Amino acid sequence: MNKIDHWLIKGGFIKMEKAIVLGATGAMGYALVHRLQSSGVKTYAYCRHLNRAKELFGDLNHVEVIEGDVRDTIRLEQAMKEVDITFVSLNIPYQKWSRELLPLFEEVFKVAFATKTKVAVVDNIYSYKTNEQLITEDTPREPETNKGKLRKELYLNMQAWMKKGLSIVIAHFPDFYGPHADNTMLQQTIQTALAGKRPLYLGPMNKKREFIYTFDGADALITLAMDETAYQQSWNIPGTKPENGQEIISILQRLTGNTKKPFVVRKPMIRFLGFFSPFMRELTEMMDLTENPVFLDGTKYEQAFVPRVSTSFDEGLRQVIKQMQKPT
């Protein structure tokens, strides 16, 4: 059955025949390309690494890979003028955020405005204060980290573009995990467990944390993007029921047979590694979210749309392991 048959829109339905995914080879980008093409939507996978994209999407129908950088506005405009909706899932390394995050998004918004393309943005929870509260869309943004302050500035920039007339819908997600979500915290745990090593777990084991299976997130964002009334707003998309580290490790032990004691990495160790690695240096401040997690309240989405069916941790981890075990 066509996946779009599941997306029951309560507002004004937007016909989507063509879509482009910017950052298509990243965690959420990969899931978006799969969900869109499986629904019969002509999907352009826009990314910088052509070979990687062909490896991921080469056997899919309705997908055309476009090699390009969003800084190449001429090429970007040529691609975006062909589509109904642009899905923005840019993958910028932490160490480049201060220089690239805002300028890259600004280029995308300029091109979207020029081509009159609607924009669906994948956003995170960094702009919220880390104090273990349940966050609604109206919760004040009081970030304490440098990356959180950048995400807040990006949010304000998006609001400014909305006032200019650009149609933007913003979805806030917790941490990702899923097939080919290689640069995510939980993915490191899965990879090390599957390799027969001590599972590497970032953050305290006793703290419940929220993760979302990327294909669930893609379904929710596409639902929002296809509803005219969802635009010019932010929406929280929670993950599965929060689990603590021990609960996650227990599931992995059952699925992999690896019963080795997890190797728990806390903020002091990340800070030390930061002396040798720019990425680890930038990751240090984000470890606050592992010690003081933020949880998303999805009431607004659930009241506006048909309730989502979330993939259980057990099934989600099973699917990730299945993908990792496939021969390359």
Side-chain angles (χ1 to χ4, degrees), residues 8 27 114-115 117 145 153 158 189 196 222 262 266 272 277:
L8 303 179
T115 57
T117 307
T145 66
E153 189 172 351
M158 288 190 283
T189 308
I222 294 169
R266 300 291 295 270
F272 173 73
S277 165

Side-chain angles (χ1 to χ4, degrees), residues 46-48 66-73 75-76 104:
Y46 194 93
C47 53
R48 291 178 297 158
I66 301 176
E67 184 179 23
D69 192 305
V70 296
R71 283 167 285 222
D72 184 349
T73 54
R75 186 169 182 78
L76 184 62
L104 289 182

Side-chain angles (χ1 to χ4, degrees), residues 194 315-327:
L194 196 57
E315 179 58 25
L317 291 173
R318 191 187 307 275
Q319 291 300 320
V320 176
I321 291 169
K322 181 180 178 181
Q323 173 263 307
M324 287 183 176
Q325 291 177 327
K326 283 184 179 180

Side-chain angles (χ1 to χ4, degrees), residues 7 16 28 49 95-96 108 140-141 149 190 204 212 312 319-320:
W7 294 324
M16 179 168 53
M28 185 59 75
H49 306 294
Q95 61 269 30
K96 295 184 179 180
V108 172
R141 295 168 191 269
K149 292 172 183 176
I190 303 168
I212 189 166
S312 68
Q319 291 300 320
V320 176

Side-chain angles (χ1 to χ4, degrees), residues 36-89:
L36 288 165
Q37 69 84 33
S38 69
S39 306
V41 176
K42 173 66 175 179
T43 306
Y44 298 97
Y46 194 93
C47 53
R48 291 178 297 158
H49 306 294
L50 183 63
N51 290 337
R52 176 60 173 163
K54 287 183 175 180
E55 176 186 323
L56 294 175
F57 310 125
D59 60 344
L60 299 181
N61 297 320
H62 311 297
V63 174
E64 179 179 335
V65 174
I66 301 176
E67 184 179 23
D69 192 305
V70 296
R71 283 167 285 222
D72 184 349
T73 54
I74 295 176
R75 186 169 182 78
L76 184 62
E77 183 170 345
Q78 289 173 340
M80 286 175 60
K81 70 181 181 182
E82 300 293 330
V83 306
D84 304 299
I85 301 174
T86 295
F87 291 85
V88 185
S89 184

Side-chain angles (χ1 to χ4, degrees), residues 133-266:
Q133 61 180 325
L134 192 62
I135 298 295
T136 72
E137 290 82 356
D138 296 323
T139 299
R141 295 168 191 269
E142 300 174 348
E144 299 172 320
T145 66
N146 291 329
K147 290 174 194 60
K149 292 172 183 176
L150 283 170
R151 297 306 299 204
K152 179 179 179 179
E153 189 172 351
L154 173 60
Y155 175 74
L156 295 174
N157 290 350
M158 288 190 283
Q159 287 190 316
W161 275 107
M162 290 177 192
K163 290 178 180 178
K164 293 178 183 179
L166 179 60
S167 293
I168 304 176
V169 60
I170 306 166
H172 290 284
F173 297 100
D175 282 344
F176 298 140
Y177 79 104
H180 295 290
D182 299 331
N183 296 318
T184 60
M185 287 190 180
L186 191 55
Q187 213 80 351
Q188 306 306 312
T189 308
I190 303 168
Q191 287 173 349
T192 47
L194 196 57
K197 302 176 183 178
R198 290 179 63 186
L200 183 69
Y201 189 82
L202 276 67
M205 292 284 287
N206 63 336
K207 289 279 188 177
K208 286 190 177 292
R209 304 211 340 241
E210 188 174 37
F211 298 90
I212 189 166
Y213 186 62
T214 49
F215 281 73
D216 291 347
D219 288 343
L221 183 55
I222 294 169
T223 298
L224 291 169
M226 294 180 66
D227 191 319
E228 191 73 57
T229 65
Y231 285 82
Q232 317 310 72
Q233 300 182 61
S234 291
W235 301 80
N236 287 347
I237 311 298
T240 332
K241 177 176 69 72
E243 306 273 8
N244 65 33
Q246 189 53 61
E247 291 166 332
I248 294 170
I249 293 296
S250 295
I251 297 173
L252 282 173
Q253 288 176 337
R254 177 165 46 80
L255 294 176
T256 66
N258 182 351
T259 58
K260 292 179 179 177
K261 183 179 179 181
F263 185 81
V264 180
V265 179
R266 300 291 295 270

